[in-house]
Amino acid sequence: MGADINSLPHEVLVRIFQFYLELECQVNFFNYVSKVCRTWKEISRNSCFFETLDGSLPLSALVTLAKAGSLRLTKTLKFGKVTKDKSGHYKCIYSNMPRLKHIDLTNVCEKLNNRKEHPVFTELDGLCPELCELVLSPPDAHCKSKILGVVFEQMMKIRGPHFVHLDFSSVNICGKPTIFELVADNCPNLEELLAQNLKGTTLTHRFNTEKMQKKCPKLKTLRLGFPISFIRNAYKDPVGFPDLEIFTHPSRDDYFFRSSDLETLLCQSAKLKILDVRGCVLVSFEVLNSLPATDLEQIYLSWLNHLNYTGIIKIFQKWSHSLNIVDVSHIKDKAVNEMFSPQHLPNGLPNLEVLNVNNTSITVETLKVIIQQNPKLRYLNLESCHGLIRGTRQIHRSRSEIEKLLVKIEKFEEMDCI
């Protein structure tokens, strides 16, 4: 007679179910595994399975789990698509999540577009004391996600002081052109702000740098992007963002972001590690070179064709000891060849791991120097580099591929000599 799987110790069954959840979504676990027998139902309510909710469970299932005490260890909550909700559902869920830290409302955004007050926020008031991270951004930037401005304002006023992470990228916040004012006024402990690819125009998204610096002094990550306009106050002594480590404002032909805006934003950011100003055509190399960052690790300068090669050289000389990711794609003329010349960078970029020179005028001679001087280089984008030989103009994704590339170049040169 075969052994009964239920004769195994409960901790063994728990481990088996954990392996199942590594491959399947939680809704399948809830709908099928938990309904096999009474023993499995009892084990499947173990709170260890629900520390992170993956967004597949419907609201009714969350209520059931909350009442069973299965969500007491939950730290990350992503709501599934909400078709029907009743008053008290959210309160039941929140009141049984004492450890909740992160909430993702991406799938609830449709509901936030047609109700001025939504229980997903109102019933949160006074509950989940550890909640400090909010995500509204859809996973696909092309998705249309819309929220009423009054709902966003309500959310900021209810939970704003607790937030350290806030992401509303790719969201259209209707009827509230002062979203950054709301963030500044209500989120004094904010450390990470992501507001990329916002729907609207530069008239509806205005970033008051001076106010943000004074009201959100703890910011470490600031990810913006077109269409955001920066209010240019008469900056006398800007306080800056002294703890800022990441600033990104990528765009394409952005004529609203000026050198003075960048200078004011980063005037006190000595800890800056990542800088992305792709497409910000009014940013000058003088301001980039004057930034107080001492150990910049990543820099993205693509499409900045107005920067002369002398200025770019100075930028790379300043951070040659620390840069590990460099993007200078779509920069024309001789700038790329000059900046990597041994005359200007005799020791190369010793920590360089990723280099993007896509669609530049890089030559074979410069490419050889780059490979030989930068032994840590493991990713090299040479697409659309028409000055190189065929078979090399592609992305090389490992050190071994890059070394094979060097051998191919040398063989081609030998054949050319013959």
Side-chain angles (χ1 to χ4, degrees), residues 162-181:
H162 300 275
F163 287 143
V164 297
H165 175 96
L166 184 57
D167 181 0
F168 50 88
S169 299
S170 303
V171 175
N172 183 4
I173 301 176
C174 312
K176 209 69 183 178
T178 56
I179 53 175
F180 291 110
E181 296 278 328

Side-chain angles (χ1 to χ4, degrees), residues 354-396:
V354 176
L355 176 62
N356 184 357
V357 289
N358 172 27
N359 201 7
T360 65
S361 301
I362 188 171
T363 64
V364 172
E365 291 74 18
T366 300
L367 181 57
K368 288 173 61 179
V369 169
I370 290 172
I371 296 174
Q372 292 167 347
Q373 283 196 330
N374 302 288
K376 294 183 179 180
L377 189 64
R378 54 177 174 78
Y379 178 96
L380 179 60
N381 187 344
L382 299 175
E383 291 181 318
S384 300
C385 293
H386 300 295
L388 303 179
I389 59 176
R390 288 185 178 182
T392 63
R393 298 178 296 211
Q394 62 192 45
I395 299 176
H396 304 270

Side-chain angles (χ1 to χ4, degrees), residues 12 14 62 110 112 285 294 312:
V12 175
V14 166
L62 292 177
E110 286 183 25
L112 304 182
F285 76 85
T294 55
I312 295 181

